Amino acid sequence: MPMFRYKAVAPTGETLTGQMEASSREEVVARLQDGGNLPIEAMEAGAAGGFSFDQLFRRSEMTSERIASFTQQLGTLLGAGQPLDRALHLLTDAESEGAADDDAVRRLIVRIRDAVRGGSTLSSALEQQHGVFSRLYVNMVRAGEVSGSLTDTLKRLADYLERSRQLKATIINALIYPMILVGMVILALIVLMIFVIPNFEPIFEQLGDRLPWITKLVIGIAAFLQSFWWLLLGAVVGAAWWFQRELADPQKRVQWDGRFLEWGKIGDLVRKVETARLSRTLGTLLVNGVPLLTGLSIARNVMGNRVLADAVEQATNSVKTGSGLAFALGSTKRFPRLALQMIAVGEEAGALDTMLMKVADTYDDDVKNSVERFLAAMVPVITAVMTVVIGMIMLAIILPILDMSSLVE
């Protein structure tokens, strides 16, 4: 039988990792569940887990919007009294009536439906789809199955996914204009350097050493771009590859994430985003009946910043010894004070899950406002810098021409 690597969360909140010999992933999941553990990951020991260029260009079968829609529709059908396999069959028929590019989604739902009809639980069927559904998603569904509240779990998941998608969309939409602005200016600079400046070189040669230093500098840059553009392109690609490798190394990833947190306003923004993500994830898990320690272990795996994830792990260890969540998170000195105060109020009132959701809403709004203010200040700065650069290039062209005109007179 093949050997499988697994990761699970124990009832105490401790993360368990190891290897197990089993006939299938479903058997590994079943054994872990029989032991009272909550499985997070199970894969063959020989499966590759690193970065590959195939992952860079591979497109997921289901976008975040489709996953949210699938979750909402499935929850609605189950709430209407439809059996699980029947609900999945109805969703398959609905996708078959869509556009041709919906075939991949339909095939995915068919695989899930067939796995459920074959005896698998919905969480196991989702886990078999090669990472289409996140660990949080699979574990939330698994917790809903165990507690007998799968319909409510799917509705909460749909709300969670929609709010997360809206926050991400807000940030991306806010970045579109500055990125277009920077792209257009860079394109204009390339056109000037490669196609415009060379046309003036015969004129500039007549002045010889009398050329202004700024003109010599621009001509040198233009000549470099014409002859060694491939070197510049290779340097950009190489830097991107190197940075990807740096982030793939766990120790170096922690170092980079620590640097991000120290970058003033950017660090504050990252901290707010991660606080909102932690609060909404943990709050959703607690509402669904997942124990606090288990919820903290799952929420830690969802966080993108490793330094803050390690802080949550430290807080989890403090909670195990009897500390309150607000005190445990506060002792790490990594999370905003307002969030800690709100969590403390929720603990005192016995409504931690509700307060965590309010914390998430508060910081979601704060992140949106912070991004808007940041971009409102950044766009004029970008415009001013690019205007100065283009102005210097135009000045480098005009000065020699004026000099020649004075000689003619």
Side-chain angles (χ1 to χ4, degrees):
M1 289 191 293
M3 187 70 69
F4 288 83
R5 295 196 309 268
Y6 68 84
K7 180 184 291 186
V9 178
T12 60
E14 181 182 1
T15 301
L16 306 176
T17 58
Q19 294 189 351
M20 180 186 302
E21 189 176 3
S23 59
S24 64
R25 296 171 61 186
E26 289 75 14
E27 183 179 346
V28 176
V29 171
R31 288 188 189 178
L32 293 172
Q33 289 176 329
D34 291 342
N37 303 311
L38 184 61
I40 294 178
E41 183 180 86
M43 65 176 63
E44 289 192 30
F51 168 79
S52 66
F53 285 100
D54 177 63
Q55 294 175 341
L56 184 62
F57 298 103
R58 185 175 58 200
R59 183 179 177 181
S60 175
E61 291 177 280
M62 292 186 74
T63 62
S64 58
E65 293 86 355
R66 285 193 176 275
I67 291 177
S69 177
F70 165 78
T71 307
Q72 181 67 50
Q73 292 171 0
L74 183 58
T76 301
L77 291 172
L78 293 179
Q82 295 290 336
L84 179 57
D85 62 338
R86 174 64 176 167
L88 291 169
H89 179 72
L90 291 174
L91 289 178
T92 303
D93 291 342
E95 292 294 338
S96 65
E97 296 174 358
D101 58 359
D102 293 335
D103 286 345
V105 177
R106 184 182 61 80
R107 289 194 297 268
L108 178 65
I109 300 177
V110 167
R111 293 200 300 269
I112 297 172
R113 182 199 63 188
D114 292 344
V116 170
R117 288 180 174 177
S120 297
T121 61
L122 177 59
S123 58
S124 298
L126 296 174
E127 195 173 23
Q128 296 170 18
Q129 306 311 313
H130 309 293
V132 174
F133 298 92
S134 67
R135 296 176 182 177
L136 169 67
Y137 193 105
V138 173
N139 284 304
M140 280 285 294
V141 171
R142 184 172 289 128
E145 291 171 333
V146 173
S147 62
S149 57
L150 181 58
T151 301
D152 293 336
T153 298
L154 290 172
K155 292 179 180 179
R156 295 188 190 107
L157 258 176
D159 180 68
Y160 171 86
L161 293 172
E162 181 60 23
R163 288 179 178 272
S164 299
R165 188 192 65 80
Q166 288 178 356
L167 178 61
K168 182 178 180 180
T170 298
I171 296 175
I172 292 176
N173 291 338
L175 289 172
I176 288 177
Y177 175 70
M179 295 302 294
I180 292 177
L181 178 63
V182 172
M184 294 299 294
V185 172
I186 291 176
L187 180 62
L189 290 175
I190 292 175
V191 171
L192 285 172
M193 288 294 187
I194 296 180
F195 299 102
V196 176
I197 297 297
N199 293 329
F200 287 90
E201 287 184 2
I203 301 175
F204 295 157
E205 289 176 356
Q206 299 179 19
L207 292 176
D209 295 335
R210 298 182 58 186
L211 281 176
W213 67 268
I214 190 173
T215 304
K216 294 179 180 179
L217 176 63
V218 170
I219 291 176
I221 295 175
F224 176 83
L225 290 177
Q226 292 177 59
S227 303
F228 301 102
W229 61 267
W230 53 270
L231 184 60
L232 183 62
L233 180 62
V236 172
V237 174
W241 176 82
W242 172 81
F243 188 66
Q244 177 66 46
R245 291 293 300 270
E246 286 282 299
L247 296 182
D249 187 314
Q251 294 182 348
K252 292 181 180 179
R253 173 65 183 271
V254 171
Q255 295 175 358
W256 277 105
D257 285 350
R259 294 190 187 104
F260 292 151
L261 292 177
E262 296 173 358
W263 287 357
K265 297 294 184 181
I266 295 179
D268 291 340
L269 183 62
V270 171
R271 192 174 285 106
K272 290 175 182 178
V273 170
E274 294 290 2
T275 299
R277 181 179 298 174
L278 171 65
S279 301
R280 190 170 303 283
T281 302
L282 183 58
T284 304
L285 290 167
L286 294 180
V287 169
N288 202 50
V290 176
L292 176 59
L293 291 174
T294 304
L296 283 169
S297 297
I298 295 174
R300 179 175 63 85
N301 290 323
V302 175
M303 300 183 69
N305 188 283
R306 300 294 176 85
V307 173
L308 294 179
D310 291 342
V312 174
E313 185 175 13
Q314 296 175 17
T316 303
N317 294 330
S318 298
V319 172
K320 290 179 184 178
T321 61
S323 298
L325 178 60
F327 176 82
L329 291 174
S331 62
T332 65
K333 299 181 180 179
R334 291 290 187 181
F335 296 93
R337 181 177 299 177
L338 175 61
L340 299 176
Q341 293 173 344
M342 294 177 68
I343 292 173
V345 171
E347 288 180 308
E348 294 173 0
L352 180 58
D353 51 359
T354 303
M355 188 57 69
L356 283 169
M357 301 302 286
K358 291 182 179 179
V359 171
D361 291 339
T362 298
Y363 279 93
D364 277 350
D365 293 338
D366 199 354
V367 167
K368 294 177 184 177
N369 294 332
S370 297
V371 170
E372 290 175 357
R373 289 195 298 267
F374 176 74
L375 293 178
M378 186 175 69
V379 169
V381 172
I382 294 175
T383 304
V385 170
M386 295 306 177
T387 300
V388 170
V389 173
I390 294 179
M392 290 179 65
I393 294 176
M394 299 307 298
L395 186 63
I397 297 174
I398 294 174
L399 284 177
I401 295 176
L402 294 177
D403 194 7
M404 292 184 65
S405 300
S406 63
L407 290 176
V408 171
E409 293 177 358

